Amino acid sequence: MDEFIDIVNKHGKPTGISERKSVIHKKGLYHHTAHVWFYTETEEILLAQRSAKKTIYPLLWDVSVAGHVDSGETIEDAAIRETKEEIGLDIFKNDLKKIGVFECFQNYQNGTIDNEFHNTFIVELKIPVDQLIPQFEEVEALKLVSFEVFNHLIENAGTNNHFITSNKFYYETVLQNIKQTVA
């Protein structure tokens, strides 16, 4: 689906203009995404494996839930919607703890120019992972990893089919915020 997305300036501020996602990625227009990282009280983090059908980083293990913020939608509403769509879980605004907005400006070999602001939240996962329902167009599989394994995966990104190598600071910041929340 080629949904409409609001365009923002290079500082993440709304321009009042929206465009189709395909055009945004072709022209490299700035836009917002919502990222939701789930963690457990037993010090684990939920990773989602990107669908084999994805054009960018198929089968890569990464953020629990992520998606574009549709035109006219709040970032929090996008996080809630994407969570329901991608893993079948209902969450609410008061579940979301925002840990920051991270710039992710990358060009890909397929011609996609991604100039995204990752609005990043952490949320406690309170149900077993086997009760989640992956949306197979987006998510191939789900798994929980310990904080220690998560850190090891960050250190070895690019060699283990986990995480985007250039986003190391982002992953380290996510882990640090989750650790502080669980402590």
Side-chain angles (χ1 to χ4, degrees):
M1 188 169 96
D2 199 13
E3 66 265 29
F4 275 86
I5 298 172
D6 291 332
I7 299 167
V8 297
N9 67 20
K10 66 181 179 178
H11 305 290
K13 303 296 182 201
T15 63
I17 302 168
S18 61
E19 185 56 82
R20 292 190 181 278
K21 183 168 91 171
S22 60
V23 173
I24 284 175
H25 286 157
K26 184 175 183 177
K27 293 183 175 182
L29 302 172
Y30 296 100
H31 59 286
H32 285 284
T33 60
H35 284 207
V36 183
W37 289 89
F38 285 90
Y39 64 90
T40 68
E41 64 180 11
T42 56
E43 300 186 353
E44 296 173 303
I45 298 174
L46 179 69
L47 299 181
Q49 186 179 34
R50 293 172 60 83
S51 169
K53 300 174 187 175
K54 300 294 271 182
T55 57
I56 299 171
Y57 295 119
L59 300 177
L60 182 82
W61 289 91
D62 205 355
V63 60
S64 310
V65 170
H68 289 85
V69 178
D70 290 343
S71 181
E73 185 176 42
T74 69
I75 293 165
E76 292 82 4
D77 286 342
I80 292 165
R81 175 183 51 77
E82 289 289 346
T83 298
K84 180 65 173 176
E85 289 175 4
E86 291 191 8
I87 63 173
L89 181 64
D90 289 313
I91 61 170
F92 305 94
K93 285 186 183 180
N94 62 348
D95 295 323
L96 297 167
K97 178 181 177 186
K98 192 165 189 175
I99 62 169
V101 180
F102 301 86
E103 295 177 356
C104 185
F105 306 150
Q106 297 184 348
N107 298 333
Y108 300 99
Q109 288 185 347
N110 69 356
T112 298
I113 305 167
D114 236 350
N115 288 321
E116 297 181 343
F117 292 93
H118 297 326
N119 295 266
T120 305
F121 302 91
I122 58 174
V123 176
E124 184 180 354
L125 181 64
K126 298 177 182 178
I127 66 170
V129 70
D130 63 359
Q131 290 184 17
L132 300 174
I133 305 164
Q135 178 189 27
F136 289 107
E137 297 80 29
E138 297 288 332
V139 179
E140 199 77 21
L142 297 165
K143 69 178 177 182
L144 289 169
V145 298
S146 69
F147 290 178
E148 183 179 323
V149 168
F150 190 89
N151 191 57
H152 178 76
L153 294 171
I154 294 169
E155 291 172 2
N156 295 286
T159 63
N160 58 16
N161 201 35
H162 288 76
F163 305 137
I164 299 167
T165 307
S166 59
N167 292 353
K168 184 176 181 182
F169 172 78
Y170 169 67
Y171 301 120
E172 290 171 340
T173 304
V174 168
L175 179 59
Q176 178 184 3
N177 276 271
I178 291 173
K179 281 182 171 181
Q180 290 173 350
T181 300
V182 172

